[in-house]
């Protein structure tokens, strides 16, 4: 048994998008090992019911436990919205999502309390961002908008494409009319089209990437719990492991386009067994 401090962090998402969160954890807490799971067989979660997303998330948590993770980060906004509270009750290890860190930073950063949230249909339908922001900052106005096409456009690699820009113009029209001062990129894929969103929404709007704040809160949580890896095990050759439920090669190609290094292997597992 390796000491708890040296155990990996489990990070999961419905697919590739959570790599934007893993990337942030790698940047900000480089001593930590990561076991990443992308549910590429069952993506998207953003159009599924809460019951289904809870069932999927439970299975993934069970799988991650078999890899001896010391904590779990739900890197998916939809699963954070739908399954975090249930998993918190069921698991006896620390678990966090991306929604609360994102909402906290937006509530703090907003100059006029006029905040926009773009996310999947499920996250928007749950109103979790709105409710949490308003509990932190009563009186804040929160405009939520589902932008489902962004996920496909990102996966197609059209990050700075005129089509993506035209779609963004349409989705963000209401945000512009309402003059939001802060906009949360409330879906794992959206930070990858940040420059297009920036171009459309304008320079004066603060863009919030929940992944950034999540990594900071994770670092604090690990310290608080006395679980932070202090680098004793730096001989570890492969600090990052990747698992998927389907299409491992496609995942690998996407991962290599957004991570600062090339991943050597991605293993496919049958998540329905967990
Ligand atoms: N990972 C999802 C999220 O952040 C987006 C993709 C999906 O719908 O599964 O909400």
């Amino acid at each position: 048994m390796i000491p708890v401090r040296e155990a990996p962090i489990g990070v999961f998402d419905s697919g590739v998008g959570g790599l934007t969160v893993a990337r942030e954890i790698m940047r900000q807490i480089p001593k930590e090992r990561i076991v990443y799971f992308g549910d590429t067989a069952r993506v998207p979660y953003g159009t599924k019911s809460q019951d289904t997303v809870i069932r999927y998330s439970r299975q993934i948590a069970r799988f991650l436990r078999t890899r001896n993770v010391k904590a779990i980060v739900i890197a998916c906004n939809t699963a954070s919205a739908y399954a975090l509270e249930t998993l918190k009750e069921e698991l006896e290890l620390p678990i966090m999502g991306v929604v609360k860190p994102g909402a906290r930073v937006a509530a703090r950063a907003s100059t006029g309390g006029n905040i926009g949230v773009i996310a999947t249909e499920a996250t928007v339908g749950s109103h979790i961002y709105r409710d949490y922001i308003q509990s932190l900052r009563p009186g804040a106005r929160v405009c939520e908008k589902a932008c489902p096409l962004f996920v496909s456009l990102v996966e197609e690699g059209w990050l700075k494409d005129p089509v993506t820009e035209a779609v963004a113009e349409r989705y963000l029209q209401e945000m512009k009319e309402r003059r939001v001062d802060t906009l949360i990129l409330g879906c794992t894929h959206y930070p990858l089209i940040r420059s297009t969103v920036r171009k459309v929404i304008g320079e004066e709007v603060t863009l919030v990437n929940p992944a950034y704040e999540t990594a900071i809160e994770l670092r604090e949580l690990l310290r608080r719990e006395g679980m932070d890896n202090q680098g004793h095990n730096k001989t570890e050759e492969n600090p990052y492991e990747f698992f998927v439920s389907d299409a491992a090669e496609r995942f690998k190609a996407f991962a290599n386009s957004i991570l600062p290094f090339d991943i050597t292997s991605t293993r496919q597992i049958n998540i329905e067994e967990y």
Side-chain angles (χ1 to χ4, degrees):
M1 266 300 259
I2 56 165
V4 174
R5 279 186 191 274
E6 290 169 23
I9 296 157
V11 177
F12 81 85
D13 177 50
S14 54
V16 294
L19 289 167
T20 59
V21 179
R23 179 175 70 173
E24 217 47 67
I25 297 172
M26 292 168 187
R27 260 188 211 145
Q28 296 193 42
I29 12 183
K31 286 179 180 164
E32 297 297 339
R33 299 167 59 209
I34 293 176
V35 175
Y36 183 95
F37 178 79
D39 200 356
T40 45
R42 305 187 295 195
V43 68
Y45 283 11
T47 49
K48 305 228 163 42
S49 69
Q50 181 162 16
D51 284 351
T52 299
V53 174
I54 289 178
R55 184 168 71 79
Y56 290 174
S57 302
R58 259 196 202 116
Q59 288 176 320
I60 297 167
R62 275 189 217 122
F63 162 69
L64 291 173
R65 305 267 355 225
T66 67
R67 308 300 302 175
N68 296 317
V69 300
K70 62 183 171 190
I72 292 179
V73 176
I74 306 184
C76 175
N77 286 261
T78 304
S80 299
Y82 273 172
L84 175 64
E85 294 312 317
T86 306
L87 290 191
K88 256 190 180 158
E89 279 167 24
E90 294 176 358
L91 295 174
E92 65 292 349
L93 79 181
I95 176 160
M96 61 181 290
V98 287
V99 167
K100 287 191 173 176
R104 266 195 283 274
V105 75
R108 248 191 345 252
S110 170
T111 46
N114 193 5
I115 299 170
V117 180
I118 50 175
T120 63
E121 286 167 54
T123 304
V124 165
S126 76
H127 299 299
I128 186 169
Y129 272 110
R130 181 197 66 191
D131 294 349
Y132 194 58
I133 289 167
Q134 288 177 341
S135 75
L136 296 170
R137 187 164 171 167
R141 291 173 307 284
V142 181
C143 175
E144 300 163 290
K145 175 85 183 162
C147 306
L149 290 177
F150 280 163
V151 170
S152 315
L153 291 166
V154 167
E155 295 203 2
E156 198 58 34
W158 295 5
L159 306 183
K160 289 183 187 163
D161 190 278
V163 173
T164 309
E165 199 175 316
V167 172
E169 283 286 357
R170 186 134 165 200
Y171 278 149
L172 298 177
Q173 187 56 35
E174 196 186 342
M175 302 285 171
K176 292 206 303 192
E177 281 164 12
R178 292 193 185 207
R179 297 182 177 279
V180 299
D181 58 61
T182 301
L183 180 65
I184 300 179
L185 307 176
C187 169
T188 47
H189 289 60
Y190 302 176
L192 297 170
I193 48 165
R194 186 187 180 104
S195 61
T196 301
V197 171
R198 161 67 68 219
K199 193 169 167 193
V200 171
I201 198 77
E203 288 297 329
E204 58 297 342
V205 175
T206 303
L207 296 183
V208 171
N209 173 6
Y212 182 80
E213 197 65 13
T214 300
I216 293 175
E217 290 195 16
L218 173 64
R219 187 177 60 207
E220 283 160 12
L221 180 138
L222 294 174
R223 279 194 193 141
R224 223 175 28 246
E225 301 280 337
M227 285 184 170
D228 50 326
N229 192 343
Q230 309 198 318
H232 296 141
N233 194 16
K234 286 305 277 182
T235 51
E236 185 68 50
E237 257 185 31
N238 187 11
Y240 306 129
E241 289 186 287
F242 299 88
F243 294 87
V244 291
S245 47
D246 196 12
E249 283 308 310
R250 193 167 188 271
F251 176 90
K252 212 166 102 180
F254 191 92
N256 289 343
S257 73
I258 72 158
L259 292 178
F261 56 88
D262 278 354
I263 63 175
T264 44
S265 91
T266 304
R267 275 175 278 175
Q268 185 175 328
I269 58 151
N270 181 0
I271 194 66
E272 295 288 357
E273 281 174 2
Y274 292 86

